[in-house]
Amino acid sequence: MTSQAPEAGKRRGRRASYADFVRDVERLCRRDPGNRAALRAGLRRDLDHPRARPMHRLLTTRLPEQCDDRTAQAHYTVASLIAAQPRHAFALDREDDEDTAAEQDERIPQQSGGSTEGTAPPEVAAPEDGSSDVGLPDSTPYGTSFGAALGQAVTAKGASMRLSAAESRVNLLTRQSVRGIHLHLPAAVNQVRATGTPIDWGQLLADLVDWPHRSGRISRRWLQDFYRITARVEG
């Protein structure tokens, strides 16, 4: 028990940091089309590619401390995938509206004779996705895998993905090396998003970070999630 507790705490901490990174990237894309273009240009590029240079300004301070190249590449890839979404995916959310309102309030001078005493500070709402500094509960060690997203794309109503195409895609992805998974993900993400299926960017980031050491385990989970979901189609 004692040996498992620190590891569980580290896992929750990592998941919280991945969720924070995803929120930061989405905020960057919403607030400035130039940021979105700079991040999108990094698709299928390694860290030293000239097209990736504008990304360093946006992402360097958002990477984990003592980050090796493979971990950095995972973050850059996910940032590029997020930025490559259609423009309507970055509509201002409530958090951005509140930030904008706060900035406007700061620029408005107080009226003479007015008093702010007794005014309660605004409450800070918890993130709607349930994430926080304490991370996720131990009962949910994983989010939604990309294999599950491919399965959900098959079962999506309306413009669903063909089962044969999704099965070929998940099998292709799970056979990839570290370099290969970064190269093949953009096409797969496009296919999933075309069906309106959401992607758990935080979990995808976690899997890409762990891919060099745990690709077999991650591949098994992707395949099992995919076949568990698509079994209802075949049945």
Side-chain angles (χ1 to χ4, degrees), residues 2-150:
T2 57
S3 62
Q4 294 178 351
E7 181 59 31
K10 291 179 181 178
R11 183 177 67 238
R12 292 196 301 271
R14 286 194 298 268
R15 285 184 58 83
S17 71
Y18 297 152
D20 288 342
F21 178 82
V22 168
R23 282 194 294 270
D24 282 348
V25 170
E26 291 175 336
R27 190 175 295 115
L28 285 171
C29 292
R30 279 195 297 268
R31 292 183 174 179
D32 188 342
N35 290 340
R36 179 172 165 245
L39 294 174
R40 188 174 62 241
L43 276 176
R44 300 184 181 90
R45 313 293 187 186
D46 61 36
L47 298 175
D48 298 324
H49 194 281
R51 296 287 297 277
R53 289 174 182 169
M55 301 177 71
H56 302 322
R57 173 179 62 85
L58 300 171
L59 300 182
T60 297
T61 59
R62 293 176 167 85
L63 297 177
E65 295 184 3
Q66 299 178 342
C67 180
D68 60 26
D69 285 352
R70 286 182 170 180
T71 299
Q73 185 68 68
H75 284 74
Y76 276 50
T77 292
V78 170
S80 297
L81 292 170
I82 292 172
Q85 297 177 97
R87 184 179 302 175
H88 63 75
F90 300 104
L92 290 176
D93 61 10
R94 184 176 63 185
E95 180 183 354
D96 287 317
D97 290 341
E98 291 174 352
D99 289 345
T100 302
E103 293 172 359
Q104 292 174 345
D105 289 342
E106 290 176 357
R107 292 195 294 268
I108 299 175
Q110 292 187 2
Q111 298 178 358
S112 59
S115 173
T116 58
E117 293 183 3
T119 302
E123 295 184 0
V124 179
E128 294 182 357
D129 61 0
S131 59
S132 66
D133 290 341
V134 297
L136 299 176
D138 291 339
S139 59
T140 56
Y142 302 112
T144 303
S145 75
F146 192 68
L150 280 165

Side-chain angles (χ1 to χ4, degrees), residues 182-202:
H182 289 274
L183 290 174
H184 286 281
L185 264 175
V189 166
N190 285 341
Q191 287 180 300
V192 170
R193 284 200 54 83
T195 69
T197 301
I199 295 172
D200 187 336
W201 299 115

